[in-house]
Amino acid sequence: MLNFNFCNPTRMIFGKNTISSLGEQISKEGLKKVILLYGKGSIFKNGVYDEAISSLKENNIEYVELSGIKPNPVLSKVREAIGLMRENEVEAIVAIGGGSTIDTAKAASAGFYYEGDVWDLFEGKAVPKKALPIFTVLTISATGSEMNSGGVITNEDEDKKWGFGSPLLYPKVSIVDPSVQFSLPDNQTVNGAIDTLSHVFELYFDGTKNTDMMDELSEGIIRTMMKHVEILLKHRENYESRAEFAWCSTLALNGYNGTGRKGDWASHNIEHSLSAFYDIAHGAGLAIIFPAWMKYVQQCDVKKFERFAEKIFNITEGTSEEKGAKAIERLKDFYKSLGAPTTLKEIGVNKEDLPKLADNAAMRAPIGSLKKLYREDILSIYEIAYE
Ligand code: NZQ
Ligand code: ZN
């Protein structure tokens, strides 16, 4: 186990009928004027918008709104939010939605106080010194952004989908009412499950030794998520499964599951290049990339893949290597059974584009920790993922 320094300051308010506490939470901090950020309209259909607005009104909190945040959120929208926030002198941000809206809020929160262009924070040219407080109402469990300090934004002029982070960006309060996720289309539920599983894999398969307790936790999250996503595809409105799913997603990437290890994150980098060019959902991209990465790196930690095979898929026959290889196939089959894509070809990627994707993902190479990956390695992974 590696040394660590762990502190997660986000207050998590979790469960049925919790959105009505939004206004009070903001008011308690002495804040009176906020910007409300949200996506393309799901919050009007499922009643979340009305609940949040009533709570703000009851607590005399003024608000301005910015809607239209798209999945794979873009830099131009972050700049628009910062402009509106400065013009209206808001004191906090309320993000209602999923990772895309929350990440836009994080970038805008740091960008609000930064004099240069907010993209500098992604390029590492500056670090946030101050940020506006963020409150979130989560409507799709997937990214863990509701309880972590990172965000991912696409610079659409430069085809860069990059992340940044700062301890200043943990949301102050996040409200998670799993029942608002009844309205999710099945493919979004599946994307959320695969993103969650991938966060666990990034931490689990990172090559750090002696992480027994955290491995048990990771395996618990993996098994729980695999069980409940299947239930939800049959019973979309099963509250208990929505709740298990939601808490798994948060725990996968709120820092706790990363304690004592460093994380790999190569597959996330490789996927981000895919969604920068093809605008596909992050979870769908990971369904394609992660099994391909696993095949490419299995030899670097044969024992860990064997453990994964035994603990997750109860595979007991064969050599260590055979068990690991079988588990990777089983994972891919599981993704297929959920209706997720598992090859680049299926989502319309041209084979001639693979070198361009590899160039993009290698901009910050080497990436990864279990195996350090350079451009040629990344290209090989895209090739494995192709068909
Ligand atoms: O825009 P609306 O109409 O709200 O529709 C959204 C959107 O189309 C819909 N949706 C959300 N809640 C709903 C709903 N539809 C019906 N009922 C509901 N209750 O779902 C769609 C996807 O939303 P989005 O916010 O894009 O999903 P997600 O939470 O998966 O976020 C993905 C983004 O987060 C980044 C990803 O790369 C991607 O850009 N990530 C952020 C991370 C972080 N900050 O820690 C880590 C992740 O690894 C990831 O990279
Ligand atoms: Zn992810």
Side-chain angles (χ1 to χ4, degrees):
M1 199 189 292
L2 305 176
N3 291 1
F4 63 88
N5 181 335
F6 173 63
C7 169
N8 188 318
T10 301
R11 175 176 299 282
M12 167 67 49
I13 301 180
F14 188 100
K16 290 177 190 168
N17 306 317
T18 45
I19 297 176
S20 56
S21 63
L22 175 67
E24 189 194 339
Q25 291 299 322
I26 297 169
S27 198
K28 266 207 292 207
E29 300 294 328
L31 302 164
K32 295 195 167 53
K33 188 167 186 185
V34 303
I35 184 167
L36 216 62
L37 301 182
Y38 53 92
K40 298 200 167 221
S42 68
I43 66 167
F44 293 110
K45 294 186 199 134
N46 58 17
V48 174
Y49 178 85
D50 289 341
E51 271 187 82
I53 293 294
S54 325
S55 180
L56 294 181
K57 285 185 175 160
E58 274 165 27
N59 288 277
N60 301 314
I61 292 162
E62 274 185 78
Y63 58 90
V64 290
E65 298 181 37
L66 180 64
S67 64
I69 293 163
K70 66 179 268 315
N72 297 321
V74 287
L75 180 59
S76 53
K77 202 72 183 175
V78 174
R79 291 185 179 133
E80 189 183 344
I82 294 170
L84 199 62
M85 284 153 58
R86 288 180 180 157
E87 196 181 303
N88 288 279
E89 298 180 350
V90 303
E91 298 165 332
I93 307 178
V94 176
I96 309 183
S100 297
T101 302
I102 300 173
D103 289 0
T104 301
K106 287 176 176 171
S109 139
F112 180 81
Y113 287 113
Y114 178 61
E115 284 176 5
D117 181 41
V118 61
W119 189 251
D120 291 351
L121 305 173
F122 289 79
E123 295 272 357
K125 292 180 185 158
V127 282
K129 297 260 164 37
K130 206 173 165 190
L132 277 185
I134 299 168
F135 295 79
T136 86
V137 176
L138 188 73
T139 64
I140 170 171
S141 288
T143 65
S145 191
E146 67 279 8
M147 202 175 182
N148 71 34
S149 58
V152 187
I153 296 292
T154 300
N155 177 332
E156 62 271 48
D157 296 331
E158 298 180 21
D159 292 323
K160 289 177 178 167
K161 184 176 175 182
W162 282 11
F164 89 123
S166 157
L168 298 169
L169 300 178
Y170 282 100
K172 194 144 212 71
V173 176
S174 279
I175 300 178
V176 179
D177 178 344
S179 65
V180 308
Q181 300 190 32
F182 291 169
S183 57
L184 278 173
D186 287 348
N187 70 320
Q188 293 295 358
T189 299
V190 168
N191 289 339
I194 294 171
D195 194 19
T196 302
L197 291 171
S198 303
H199 297 154
V200 178
F201 297 154
E202 296 281 16
L203 297 163
Y204 185 83
F205 291 113
D206 74 338
T208 310
K209 299 292 173 215
N210 305 316
T211 52
D212 215 21
M213 201 283 272
M214 301 317 291
D215 288 343
E216 293 286 346
L217 175 74
S218 293
E219 288 150 4
I221 296 174
I222 295 168
R223 280 193 295 267
T224 310
M225 182 50 96
M226 288 176 76
K227 172 176 166 189
H228 289 285
V229 66
E230 285 193 321
I231 297 175
L232 287 170
L233 292 183
K234 295 197 190 85
H235 308 284
R236 193 182 286 184
E237 302 200 1
N238 181 321
Y239 176 81
E240 294 306 332
S241 285
R242 287 283 173 204
E244 297 284 352
F245 185 122
W247 194 223
C248 278
S249 288
T250 303
L251 283 182
L253 199 56
N254 73 347
Y256 177 44
N257 189 34
T259 49
R261 45 193 181 189
K262 47 190 177 295
D264 186 274
W265 300 107
S267 302
H268 265 70
N269 271 288
I270 296 172
E271 192 296 311
H272 285 162
S273 294
L274 197 59
S275 35
F277 281 113
Y278 290 91
D279 206 15
I280 68 158
H282 175 59
L286 288 167
I288 299 167
I289 298 299
F290 231 110
W293 173 86
M294 286 176 165
K295 276 189 195 164
Y296 193 71
V297 303
Q298 190 200 343
Q299 291 305 326
C300 301
D301 200 345
V302 171
K303 285 282 164 203
K304 194 61 176 277
F305 280 93
E306 180 183 24
R307 174 176 170 142
F308 175 66
E310 289 173 352
K311 295 260 193 168
I312 303 302
F313 294 109
N314 300 318
I315 298 170
T316 50
E317 306 272 300
T319 62
S320 305
E321 201 177 324
E322 284 164 353
K323 288 187 208 167
K326 216 183 266 178
I328 298 168
E329 284 310 312
R330 289 277 292 277
L331 180 71
K332 205 167 158 180
D333 290 345
F334 177 68
Y335 287 169
K336 272 188 206 156
S337 76
L338 299 178
T342 52
T343 64
L344 292 173
K345 199 174 173 184
E346 259 174 86
I347 58 162
V349 173
N350 297 319
K351 201 156 192 185
E352 307 80 74
D353 285 350
L354 299 188
K356 179 180 85 178
L357 282 167
D359 289 340
N360 189 282
M363 263 192 264
R364 289 167 156 185
I367 56 174
S369 146
L370 178 56
K371 179 174 170 62
K372 282 202 187 319
L373 304 177
Y374 295 85
R375 184 191 174 280
E376 294 314 304
D377 301 297
I378 297 168
L379 182 57
S380 301
I381 292 169
Y382 282 127
E383 282 167 353
I384 296 171
Y386 190 71
E387 57 191 334

